[in-house]
Amino acid sequence: MLAIVGWLFVQRLPVDLLRIPLFSLSICASVCSFCAQMLTMVSLRFFLQNVLGRDEVATCLLLATIVLAPIAGQLIEHVHAGLLGRLGRVVRGGIVSSSAAAGAAALFSQ
């Protein structure tokens, strides 16, 4: 049943759009960004709690997607979407790299 639904779904997709280089590059960038974000959201929670010893509240505040989503919704009306996306990836990268640096310092100090 799932194979039939998948086949029908693929038949309705405009696959010929993937021949446009900019479109296919945008699709690849979107998939890579999604995978990186999901990997970060899943693994960073365990890293912050187990390695760095943060409690649940501090972990949630560091990964405050729920709090920042309405703010991003307001900003998207006033700021270009590409610039806002880049800013979000830079901020996320800063959180990840600072947490990684703190984790490395915690591991080497033991």
Side-chain angles (χ1 to χ4, degrees), residues 7-99:
W7 183 78
L8 289 173
F9 184 72
V10 168
Q11 292 300 317
R12 302 194 70 175
L13 285 178
V15 183
D16 59 333
L17 288 176
L18 293 175
R19 292 183 185 147
I20 302 171
L22 184 61
F23 186 78
S24 58
L25 182 64
S26 298
I27 294 290
C28 288
S30 176
V31 168
C32 289
S33 179
F34 173 77
C35 290
Q37 182 180 4
M38 288 300 108
L39 181 65
T40 301
M41 291 300 288
V42 171
S43 64
L44 196 56
R45 292 179 192 271
F46 295 111
F47 178 75
L48 289 171
Q49 289 180 357
N50 297 336
V51 176
L52 298 182
R54 309 272 176 147
D55 62 340
E56 290 80 10
V57 175
T59 301
C60 287
L61 288 176
L62 284 172
L63 303 174
T65 306
I66 295 172
V67 174
L68 294 178
I71 297 170
Q74 293 294 324
L75 282 175
I76 199 71
E77 296 175 358
H78 305 291
V79 180
H80 187 266
L83 179 64
L84 193 62
R86 263 184 248 122
L87 179 66
R89 284 191 293 274
V90 166
V91 169
R92 173 74 56 159
I95 290 172
V96 170
S97 62
S98 66
S99 296

